């Protein structure tokens, strides 16, 4: 590298930076780097905060569930790798107090449990709990409100569990890993692990589940799992991580992550567009210096070095400034959110920093490649023939180069081919359609412009004259507006659908075990208390025993241990069976068909029909037309699978694995279940409400609902901030585009001015031109917004696609207003400069 | 060994392709320019003067014919080789000055020397700047200078590499009478002092008359009026002396 190139490049860079020549390209790089850094650092921090949060829902980063105790070596290995571990043993057992007894879920927790999240306890049943970091001491038990109620227990009472006695010292309000299922099972009794042997409940034949909890770095956890996996037995062991989390929370977080990714991708595209715009302008401004240098004897190599070095300097500066701004922006958002989100976002991540630098560099070089190639091809002859431009003229190269670069960046960044392809393809379609529309407009404009006076005519004339330039400009406006729309609408739809899942008044209490005789009284009682009850669902408990006559493992049977793995995998506990003629709200048939209501009851045909929840069917290997056998009381009922249902477990409504045709159940006496909503302030009413119905069991899911709702709110707030960031990025791109295009108009405006055109005429004609461009861009953006949203929502976010008619009006109008205002402002600035100054700048 | 002839043109012509097809903008032309000679190319606008200049200076390729500059066969060179030849032998002055807007006056003057890798470019540039009377404006940018001042900077830039031949395309075309006079004077002075060969394109007969030879361009064809012009030249000289 010659010292000439370095000197000259540095000198040009210094002077041009000082004189503001590089402002736009620098701004574009700064924009790219700062938006990518702030978005991805913020989203990475938020993601890790949220996954910490969701780790709380399994009480660890990874959980190994087993039906037998695992070898000590497994835990030793985890400790060798310096993973934190804890364990819990669970079994179902009758517990006794004051001559009452009840089936309970006995949880014996070892030291350290829960590794993530907190236990909440209180001193009173059905009251709000406070977090604690302790576990029950030796001889102590913490029990859930339901059990307190059913056994009429008080703090300090004694509770018999198996062969041991415990003192109830606290009401257990919640455990982090309880799950969101409404019927999480029997009420819990939490005792220390050291107290378990004395109960003698874990002997042979008892059904015990062992959970081992692990916390540590993802890489170490993965290393451990790699070591562990060959030793696992699918029938006995189950390895769980937060990512497999299919809870409503898990889905919300996943969707939010995808949204962040989408927003960052769009930010990259926005930045890339602005760099392309700026580089084009930069290149054109350097045609003369290149021609001069070549004339004065500079070789092609020297010219290339000078400009590549220049780009290097510019991108270095841009990356530095952008990095700083991006970091501060992101930090500001984190600070602003700190009050609203109860997650800590202090974790530092290097990945976003690398991505931002990489993006800045790739954008700076790839998007300036074509303009630079054009620049290099400028002939020295330009010093004599001023109108001579670059020798390279194929726009196709530009489209292919920058299109390919955008796609590669998106793909490399998202590592999600689908999301990238969807955005990219709709982008291409947009570009093609816009080209068509532009030329159509220009054709139309020629007619409209004729005979009209003043500003409009000038505007149309200008649009017509620079057809290609205008089409490029129109395309970049439309893309910017479309991307903003996508981010905006996506956020609205997503947040709305989250909120729809848990509308105000979602039942937060469930009643089960309502007998047929109690039902009218209960309804009447609640009615008087002004609490509205949902519909009553009949429930019959049954044991699921066979598929197509093949016996399945019923976990409670004694033979299980000796029979080994012979039987098919079963459900593990009694199932709640319901019957219904109508499909529940939020469920949909995915295979087969719902019961035919017209089948007359008199037709005595066995087997009756059953509808099975889809994922359970998958887990147990149940197919359409299989015959399932249930033991209900002493009866055996055989039913044929006629449909599989997708159940929305997020709906917090009573949901069932099996729904049986009403005819089949006619002979059984069901109990009923129902649900109701009670505001938190009315909680004291509960006792009075339920007092007359002692045998009815109350489930309190208020805590779960609140937890869910708060997560959804937090994620929504985060999404909101991301939206604001992208909006800012997009607006900056619009400004850059308008400025660059004003640049191109400068000469023409100067000439018009010189020829004596009034300032107001020029300004209005420019504003009219931008109104036309902004409106068209907005309309096109709204159209293609629908297309990409449809694809994104159905293919990537698995949500229901929606149509947004309002944007067909909003987008063109706001596009026209915003673009015209920006154009008007920069035109006004231009017109303030005097004509000779303008003309001199042009040379 | 310096050749006798600085420029030898043997039947050079130029054809360009336009939307309407091939267009010959320069008919075959042959002539020589001796070392140290000053030659004016005159003709109406559009007659092909700049085209001829671009071929003589190696800014463009000839369509046919041979052209030697300082004994080197330029018609056989590619753009890179011609660039090096230009850098080593040629200086330029243009109607629109052609200064790099983002470089200061002194930096513009240094530019050709730096491209060629000459040592002590800065000192030479300062000397030249003094010579053209702009030493107090060294750090000014082109847009801070008047047209006449810009052209003086351009002249200083043209001489920094001590070129053997100087090409000037309408050097006073963008200037008023007073400035034109100053520029002409400076140009011929420096030229005489350095014994540079000068090819000057102009439509100004008076300026052309100051050169030893005049070539007339008319619709891409060249006619020489050497005798007439040398008489005029002699006449001018005696008038000035008297
Ligand atoms: N690349 C080109 N394509 C078409 N016509 C050209 C081209 N270059 C020059 N011409 C034409 O050739 C003629 C001579 O141009 P030029 O040498 O610039 O004339 P002058 O310098 O005498 O005014 C002009 O008519 C010009 O339009
Ligand atoms: Mg000319």
């Amino acid at each position: 590298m010659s010292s000439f190139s370095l000197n000259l490049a540095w000198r040009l860079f210094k002077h041009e930076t000082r004189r503001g020549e590089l402002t736009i390209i620098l701004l574009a790089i700064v924009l790219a780097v700062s938006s990518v850094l702030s978005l991805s650092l913020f989203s990475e921090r938020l993601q890790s905060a949220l996954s910490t949060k969701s780790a709380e829902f399994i009480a660890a980063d990874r959980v190994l569930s087993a039906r037998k105790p695992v070898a000590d070596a497994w835990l030793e290995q985890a400790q060798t790798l310096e993973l934190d571990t804890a364990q819990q043993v669970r079994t179902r057992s009758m517990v006794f107090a004051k001559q009452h007894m009840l089936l309970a879920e006995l949880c014996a927790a070892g030291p350290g449990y829960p590794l993530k999240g907190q236990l909440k306890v209180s001193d009173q049943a059905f009251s709000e709990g406070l977090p604690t970091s302790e576990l029950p001491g030796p001889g102590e038990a913490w029990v859930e409100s339901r059990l307190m109620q059913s056994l009429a227990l008080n703090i300090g009472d004694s509770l018999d569990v198996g062969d041991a006695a415990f003192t109830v010292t606290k009401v257990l309000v919640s455990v982090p890993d309880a799950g969101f299922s409404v019927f999480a099972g029997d009420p819990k009794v939490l005792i220390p692990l050291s107290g378990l042997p004395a109960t003698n409940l874990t002997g042979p034949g008892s059904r015990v589940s062992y959970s081992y909890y692990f916390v540590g770095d993802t890489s170490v956890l993965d290393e451990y799992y790699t070591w562990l996996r060959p030793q696992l037995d699918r029938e006995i062991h189950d390895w769980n991580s937060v990512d497999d989390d299919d809870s409503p929370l898990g889905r919300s977080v996943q969707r939010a992550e995808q949204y962040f990714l989408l927003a960052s991708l769009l930010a990259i595209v926005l930045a890339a567009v602005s760099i392309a715009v700026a580089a084009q302008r930069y290149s054109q401004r350097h045609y003369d210096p290149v021609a001069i240098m070549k004339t004065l004897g500079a070789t092609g190599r020297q010219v290339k070095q000078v400009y590549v070095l220049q780009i290097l300097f510019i991108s270095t500066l841009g990356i530095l400034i952008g990095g700083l701004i991006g970091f501060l922006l992101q930090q500001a958002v984190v600070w602003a959110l700190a009050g609203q989100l109860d997650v800590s976002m202090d974790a530092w991540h290097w990945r976003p920093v690398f991505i931002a630098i990489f993006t800045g560099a790739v954008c700076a070089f790839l998007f300036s490649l074509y303009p630079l190639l054009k620049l290099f091809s400028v002939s020295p002859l330009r010093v004599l023939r001023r109108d001579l431009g670059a020798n390279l003229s194929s726009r196709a190269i530009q489209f292919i180069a920058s299109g390919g670069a955008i796609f590669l960046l998106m793909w490399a960044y998202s590592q999600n081919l689908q999301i990238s392809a969807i955005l990219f393809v709709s982008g291409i379609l947009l570009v093609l359609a816009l080209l068509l529309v532009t030329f159509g407009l220009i054709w139309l404009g020629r007619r409209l412009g004729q005979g009209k006076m003043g500003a409009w005519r000038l505007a149309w004339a200008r649009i017509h004259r620079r057809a290609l330039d205008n089409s490029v400009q129109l395309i970049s406006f439309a893309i910017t507006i479309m991307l903003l729309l996508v981010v905006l609408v996506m956020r609205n739809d997503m947040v709305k659908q989250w909120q729809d899942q848990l509308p105000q008044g979602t039942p937060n209490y469930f009643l089960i075990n309502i007998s047929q005789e109690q039902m009218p009284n209960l309804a009447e009682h609640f009615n008087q208390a002004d609490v509205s009850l949902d519909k009553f669902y009949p429930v019959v408990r049954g044991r699921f025993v066979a598929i197509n006559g093949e016996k399945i493992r019923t976990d409670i049977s004694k033979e299980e241990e000796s029979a080994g793995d012979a039987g098919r995998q079963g459900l593990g506990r009694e199932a709640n069976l319901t019957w219904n003629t109508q499909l529940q709200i939020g469920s949909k048939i995915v295979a087969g068909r719902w019961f035919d209501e017209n089948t007359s009851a008199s037709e005595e045909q066995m087997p009756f029909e059953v509808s099975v929840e889809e994922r359970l069917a998958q887990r147990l290997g149940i197919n359409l037309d299989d015959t399932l056998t249930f033991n209900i009381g002493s009866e055996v009922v055989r039913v044929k699978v006629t449909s599989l249902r997708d159940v929305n477990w997020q709906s917090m409504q009573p949901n069932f694995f099996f729904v049986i045709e009403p005819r089949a159940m006619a002979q059984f006496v069901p109990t009923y279940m129902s649900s109701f909503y009670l505001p938190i302030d009315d909680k004291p009413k509960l006792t009075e409400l339920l007092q007359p119905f002692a045998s009815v069991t109350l489930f309190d899911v208020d805590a779960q609902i609140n937890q869910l709702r708060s997560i959804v709110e937090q994620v929504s707030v985060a999404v909101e901030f991301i939206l604001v960031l992208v909006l800012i990025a997009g607006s900056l791109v619009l400004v850059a585009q308008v400025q660059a295009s004003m640049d191109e108009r400068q000469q023409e405006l100067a000439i018009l001015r010189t020829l004596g055109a009034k300032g107001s005429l020029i300004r209005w004609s420019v504003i009219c031109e931008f109104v036309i461009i902004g409106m068209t861009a907005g309309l096109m953006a709204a159209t293609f917004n629908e297309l990409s949203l449809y694809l994104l929502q159905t293919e990537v976010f698995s949500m229901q696609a929606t149509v947004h008619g309002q944007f067909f009006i909003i987008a063109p109008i706001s596009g026209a207003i915003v673009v015209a205002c920006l154009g008007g402002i920069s035109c006004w600035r231009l017109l303030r400069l005097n004509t000779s100054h303008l003309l001199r700048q042009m040379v | 060994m310096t050749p006798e002839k600085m420029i030898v043109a043997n039947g050079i012509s130029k054809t360009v392709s336009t939307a309407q097809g091939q267009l010959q903008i320069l008919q075959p032309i042959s002539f020589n320019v001796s070392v140290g000679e000053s030659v004016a190319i005159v003709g109406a606008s559009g007659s092909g003067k700049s085209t001829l200049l671009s071929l003589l200076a190696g800014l463009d390729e000839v369509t046919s014919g041979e052209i030697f500059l300082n004994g080197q066969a330029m018609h056989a060179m590619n753009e890179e080789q011609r660039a090096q030849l230009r850098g080593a032998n040629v200086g330029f002055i243009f109607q629109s000055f052609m200064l790099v807007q983002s470089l200061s006056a002194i930096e513009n003057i240094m530019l050709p020397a730096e491209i060629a890798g000459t040592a002590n470019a800065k000192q030479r540039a300062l000397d030249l700047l003094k010579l053209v009377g702009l030493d107090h404006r060294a750090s000014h940018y082109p847009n801070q200078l008047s047209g006449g001042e810009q052209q003086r900077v351009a002249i200083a830039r043209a001489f920094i590499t001590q070129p053997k031949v100087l090409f000037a395309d309408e050097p006073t075309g963008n200037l008023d009478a007073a400035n034109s006079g100053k520029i002409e004077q400076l140009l011929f002075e420096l030229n005489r002092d350095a014994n540079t060969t000068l090819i000057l394109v102009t439509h100004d007969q008076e300026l052309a008359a100051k050169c030893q030879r005049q070539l007339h361009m008319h619709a891409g064809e060249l006619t020489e009026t050497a005798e007439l012009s040398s008489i005029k030249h002699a006449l001018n000289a005696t008038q000035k002396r008297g």
Side-chain angles (χ1 to χ4, degrees):
Chain A
M1 172 133 337
S2 66
S3 69
F4 154 75
S5 311
L6 196 63
N7 276 338
L8 188 62
W10 179 245
R11 222 176 272 150
L12 284 173
F13 171 67
K14 242 176 22 192
H15 295 334
E16 297 192 344
T17 312
R18 199 178 310 139
R19 284 152 42 95
E21 294 271 324
L22 298 177
T23 314
I24 292 221
I25 194 161
L26 196 64
L27 204 70
I29 298 175
V30 166
L31 185 68
V33 174
S34 60
S35 55
V36 167
L37 181 67
S38 58
L39 279 179
S40 56
L41 183 56
F42 173 69
S43 82
E44 197 116 339
R45 283 179 151 190
L46 186 76
Q47 273 174 37
S48 66
L50 285 178
S51 77
T52 307
K53 187 90 185 158
S54 40
E56 293 175 6
F57 295 99
I58 60 171
D61 291 332
R62 303 285 186 274
V63 178
L64 174 67
S65 312
R67 300 202 286 123
K68 288 178 190 168
V70 302
D72 288 342
W74 293 12
L75 300 181
E76 280 160 19
Q77 172 71 12
Q79 275 144 17
T80 317
L81 290 172
E82 302 195 330
L83 293 172
D84 285 338
T85 57
Q87 57 173 303
Q88 184 174 218
V89 182
R90 274 179 281 215
T91 186
R92 275 157 42 113
S93 165
M94 284 294 176
V95 296
F96 304 84
K98 304 178 182 169
Q99 293 103 43
H100 293 289
M101 68 174 192
L102 191 75
L103 191 60
E105 181 180 1
L106 181 67
C107 307
Y113 171 87
L115 293 176
K116 291 278 174 85
Q118 282 176 313
L119 295 173
K120 284 189 179 167
V121 294
S122 99
D123 293 324
Q124 221 188 334
F126 296 110
S127 64
E128 274 186 274
L130 291 173
T132 177
S133 53
E134 286 164 23
L135 284 173
E140 292 178 4
W142 296 352
V143 304
E144 281 192 309
S145 302
R146 252 192 301 152
L147 197 105
M148 300 284 281
Q149 178 206 18
S150 304
L151 295 182
L153 276 171
N154 290 312
I155 299 287
D157 286 352
S158 174
L159 180 75
D160 291 336
V161 182
D163 296 342
F166 294 86
T167 312
V168 176
T169 53
K170 292 257 188 258
V171 175
L172 181 64
V173 176
S174 66
V175 297
D177 53 338
F180 283 98
S181 160
V182 172
F183 310 104
D186 305 299
K188 289 186 178 60
V189 172
L190 184 71
I191 60 166
L193 186 62
S194 55
L196 185 65
T199 61
N200 282 328
L201 285 172
T202 54
S206 51
R207 183 189 173 238
V208 183
S209 71
Y210 299 84
S211 299
Y212 301 89
Y213 302 88
F214 304 93
V215 164
D217 285 343
T218 310
S219 57
V220 183
L221 288 165
D222 290 346
E223 186 191 336
Y224 179 61
Y225 182 51
T226 313
W227 175 83
L228 188 64
R229 186 159 47 186
Q231 311 176 58
L232 297 181
D233 177 348
R234 262 197 63 206
E235 291 287 316
I236 300 177
H237 301 116
D238 195 11
W239 178 258
N240 276 305
S241 75
V242 212
D243 306 332
D244 322 325
D245 190 4
D246 203 28
S247 68
L249 176 79
R251 288 200 204 174
S252 303
V253 168
Q254 265 169 25
R255 220 176 252 176
E257 283 173 5
Q258 266 160 339
Y259 181 78
F260 296 150
L261 187 68
L262 176 77
S264 320
L265 285 181
L266 298 192
I268 288 183
V269 175
L270 288 177
V273 169
S274 67
I275 285 179
V277 170
Q280 184 69 27
R281 177 177 181 271
Y282 172 84
S283 154
Q284 266 161 9
R285 291 197 150 202
H286 283 83
Y287 282 2
D288 275 344
V290 166
I292 294 170
M293 277 190 261
K294 284 186 169 175
T295 300
L296 298 179
T299 58
R301 227 172 81 93
Q302 285 177 314
V303 172
K304 278 175 200 156
Q305 282 177 353
V306 168
Y307 282 94
V308 169
L309 278 171
Q310 274 250 69
I311 295 286
L312 194 70
F313 294 148
I314 298 169
S315 23
T316 309
L317 184 67
I319 287 172
L320 285 178
I321 299 178
L324 191 69
I325 293 180
F327 175 76
L328 292 177
L329 205 62
Q330 170 278 143
Q331 198 62 43
V333 174
V334 167
W335 279 329
L337 276 186
Q340 301 191 44
L341 288 188
D342 69 341
V343 290
S344 121
M345 292 197 282
D346 300 333
W348 178 255
H349 301 268
W350 280 108
R351 205 179 81 100
V353 179
F354 292 133
I355 289 178
I357 293 175
F358 177 75
T359 308
V362 167
C363 283
F365 280 93
L366 280 184
F367 288 94
S368 53
L369 183 68
Y370 177 73
L372 274 187
L373 287 179
K374 266 177 93 168
L375 185 58
F376 296 155
S377 76
V378 167
S379 155
L381 204 52
R382 181 177 162 91
V383 293
L384 290 174
R385 288 196 199 300
R386 308 294 298 118
D387 54 337
L388 218 57
N391 289 331
L392 203 68
S393 62
S394 165
R395 286 256 177 190
I397 297 179
Q398 184 183 21
F399 286 129
I400 292 169
S402 35
I406 288 189
F407 184 70
L408 279 181
L409 262 181
M410 293 195 331
W411 189 12
Y413 180 49
S414 67
Q415 291 170 351
N416 185 335
L417 193 57
Q418 200 186 21
I419 250 188
S420 313
I422 285 177
L423 287 177
F424 191 71
V425 168
S426 39
I428 297 278
L429 288 177
L430 177 70
V431 168
L432 290 179
L434 278 176
L435 272 174
L436 272 178
V437 167
T438 316
F439 285 104
L441 254 186
I442 285 157
W443 174 84
L444 195 75
R446 200 185 294 177
R447 323 198 124 206
L448 284 177
Q450 272 162 7
K452 300 249 166 61
M453 287 297 292
W456 277 103
R457 213 182 77 184
L458 265 176
W460 276 116
R462 245 198 317 266
I463 288 180
H464 179 217
R465 194 152 353 100
R466 289 203 319 262
L468 196 63
D469 282 344
N470 273 309
S471 65
V472 170
Q473 205 174 84
L474 193 58
I475 288 167
S476 54
F477 280 133
I479 289 180
T480 309
I481 298 175
M482 178 187 108
L483 296 189
L484 293 182
L485 279 183
V486 166
V487 174
L488 178 74
V489 178
M490 211 45 231
R491 171 241 161 228
N492 287 348
D493 286 2
M494 195 164 60
V495 170
K496 186 171 177 302
Q497 291 193 11
W498 278 337
Q499 283 165 351
D500 284 353
Q501 278 168 11
L502 294 171
Q504 277 305 320
T506 299
N508 52 356
Y509 295 95
F510 284 82
L511 296 172
I512 63 168
N513 278 337
I514 306 167
S515 67
Q516 204 144 21
E517 304 82 61
Q518 277 174 326
M519 205 166 67
N521 297 340
L522 188 103
E524 175 63 21
H525 185 66
F526 270 68
N527 200 10
Q528 275 170 9
D530 235 5
V531 177
S532 62
L533 270 175
D534 269 14
K535 121 181 225 207
F536 288 89
Y537 289 88
V539 178
V540 163
R541 292 206 124 200
R543 181 162 300 153
F544 178 36
V545 289
I547 302 173
N548 293 335
E550 188 185 344
K551 249 184 113 148
I552 55 171
R553 252 191 344 241
T554 51
D555 289 300
I556 297 176
S557 70
K558 296 270 179 194
E559 315 93 301
E560 187 198 23
E561 295 295 321
S562 48
D565 299 326
R568 283 179 78 156
Q569 199 178 350
L571 199 53
R573 64 176 152 94
E574 285 189 316
N576 288 310
L577 306 177
T578 190
W579 55 94
N580 213 332
T581 46
Q582 270 168 350
L583 196 57
Q584 276 149 295
I585 298 160
S587 299
K588 68 172 190 272
I589 301 292
V590 292
R593 48 173 194 83
W594 188 246
F595 313 131
D596 191 352
E597 285 181 53
N598 298 329
T599 318
S600 68
S602 60
E603 282 177 66
E604 258 305 313
Q605 48 165 177
M606 280 275 262
F608 298 113
E609 301 177 13
V610 66
S611 171
V612 184
E613 195 260 345
E614 184 199 10
R615 263 177 296 158
L616 178 84
Q618 221 163 44
R619 184 149 64 87
L620 303 187
I622 299 173
N623 299 312
L624 278 183
D625 292 334
D626 281 353
T627 303
L628 309 183
T629 313
F630 290 92
N631 285 349
I632 303 173
S634 55
E635 303 280 329
V636 174
V637 177
R638 268 189 291 278
V639 286
K640 196 174 109 190
V641 181
T642 53
S643 67
L644 300 179
R645 273 169 310 134
D646 177 33
V647 169
N648 183 6
W649 295 102
Q650 306 183 35
S651 67
M652 281 286 170
Q653 279 174 359
N655 281 310
F656 300 88
F657 286 127
F658 302 101
V659 177
I660 295 179
E661 203 182 353
R663 288 181 299 138
M665 310 302 279
Q667 49 180 317
F668 300 106
V669 181
T671 59
Y672 288 86
M673 69 182 282
S674 185
S675 57
F676 61 95
Y677 169 72
L678 197 66
I680 187 95
D681 297 336
D682 289 349
K683 224 166 178 166
K685 265 171 121 176
L686 270 180
T687 332
E688 179 222 342
L689 269 173
L690 288 174
Q691 204 215 348
F693 311 99
S695 61
V696 172
T697 314
L698 177 76
F699 278 89
D700 180 352
V701 293
D702 199 48
Q704 276 120 303
I705 287 183
N706 282 334
Q707 207 168 17
L708 254 187
R709 200 172 266 148
S710 87
I711 294 278
V712 164
E713 270 160 21
Q714 288 166 10
V715 175
S716 308
V717 171
V719 163
E720 210 102 339
F721 272 90
I722 298 250
L723 173 70
V724 170
L725 280 184
V726 174
L727 281 179
I728 292 174
S731 326
L732 283 176
V733 173
L734 278 182
V735 172
Q737 284 166 347
V738 169
Q739 288 227 310
S741 71
M742 279 319 289
D743 225 55
E744 289 160 19
R745 286 172 174 77
Q746 185 164 323
Q747 180 170 355
E748 195 174 333
L749 295 187
I751 291 167
L752 282 174
R753 198 80 207 257
T754 320
L755 295 178
K758 271 194 288 182
S760 61
L761 173 74
I762 297 177
R763 187 153 49 237
W764 277 113
S765 80
V766 168
I767 289 176
C768 289
E769 188 183 348
F770 278 111
V771 163
I772 296 169
I773 291 176
M775 225 154 87
T776 319
L779 195 65
M780 295 312 291
T783 312
F784 285 88
N785 171 46
E786 284 304 313
L787 177 69
S788 17
L789 275 179
Y790 176 78
L791 291 175
L792 277 174
Q793 294 186 333
T794 53
E795 301 303 318
V796 180
F797 286 81
S798 48
M799 18 194 303
Q800 242 163 353
T802 41
V803 180
H804 313 85
Q806 71 271 32
F807 287 108
F808 284 90
I809 295 166
I810 296 172
I813 290 178
S814 52
I817 291 175
V818 170
V819 173
C821 284
L822 290 176
I825 290 168
S826 31
C827 172
W828 179 70
R829 192 177 50 83
L830 266 185
L831 288 175
R832 268 202 335 192
L833 303 171
N834 66 43
T835 320
S836 72
H837 187 79
L838 279 182
L839 284 170
R840 192 180 299 172
Q841 275 195 340
M842 279 158 36
V843 178
Chain B
M1 204 180 94
T2 333
E4 190 93 322
K5 301 288 176 200
M6 181 51 67
I7 294 171
V8 177
N10 257 340
I12 53 168
S13 71
K14 182 71 184 172
T15 305
V16 294
S17 39
T18 64
Q20 285 78 39
Q22 298 293 95
L23 176 68
Q24 185 154 26
I25 53 177
L26 214 58
Q27 306 301 323
I29 286 173
S30 302
F31 70 101
N32 300 334
V33 178
S34 307
V35 173
E37 201 178 6
S38 60
V39 178
I41 302 172
V42 284
S45 176
S47 57
K49 304 182 298 288
S50 296
T51 308
L52 179 58
L53 183 94
S54 69
L55 296 180
L56 297 178
L59 288 172
D60 204 356
E61 283 176 352
V62 293
T63 307
S64 69
E66 295 174 328
I67 183 160
F68 298 88
L69 190 132
N70 197 24
Q72 289 176 276
M74 243 182 349
H75 54 272
M77 294 181 175
N78 62 19
E79 164 57 27
E80 288 292 272
Q81 293 164 320
R82 289 203 307 269
Q84 268 166 346
L85 185 68
R86 286 198 301 268
N89 298 292
V90 179
F92 287 97
I93 299 168
F94 304 102
Q95 178 173 10
S96 49
F97 323 135
M98 284 288 134
L99 299 178
V100 177
Q101 295 292 314
S102 351
L103 295 179
S104 64
I106 182 86
E107 287 167 347
N108 263 291
I109 298 174
M110 285 159 63
L111 190 58
E114 289 190 315
I115 290 173
T118 323
N120 68 359
K122 180 114 186 197
Q123 193 48 51
R124 285 192 51 78
L126 281 169
D127 293 345
L128 278 164
L129 205 55
K130 200 174 232 160
L131 220 53
V132 300
L134 287 172
D135 39 341
H136 58 296
R137 314 288 298 266
S139 59
H140 286 207
Y141 288 91
N143 67 350
Q144 297 168 306
L145 301 172
S146 75
E149 288 165 340
Q150 288 192 50
Q151 197 61 306
R152 273 144 74 190
V153 172
I155 291 175
R157 181 179 67 182
F159 280 100
I160 195 169
T161 49
Q162 295 170 293
K164 298 197 174 60
V165 55
L166 183 66
F167 291 94
D169 188 19
E170 310 262 11
T172 57
N174 273 359
L175 300 174
D176 55 40
N179 271 311
S180 295
K182 233 187 262 175
I183 293 296
E184 285 166 20
Q185 200 188 342
L186 202 55
L187 184 60
F188 283 107
E189 242 174 56
L190 282 170
N191 192 48
R192 201 172 42 239
D193 292 350
N195 194 29
T196 314
T197 309
L198 174 68
I199 313 285
L200 181 92
V201 164
T202 182
H203 60 265
D204 179 353
Q205 292 288 346
E206 256 180 68
L207 178 58
K210 290 180 180 160
C211 296
Q212 293 162 352
R213 254 169 94 192
Q214 282 88 38
L215 303 173
H216 282 267
M217 285 295 298
H218 181 72
E221 283 187 274
L222 190 72
T223 50
E224 184 154 1
T225 52
E227 286 106 308
L228 183 68
S229 66
S230 51
I231 293 164
K232 262 190 194 169
H233 188 71
L235 208 67
N236 268 343
T238 40
Q239 269 174 354
K240 259 187 192 164
R241 250 176 264 132

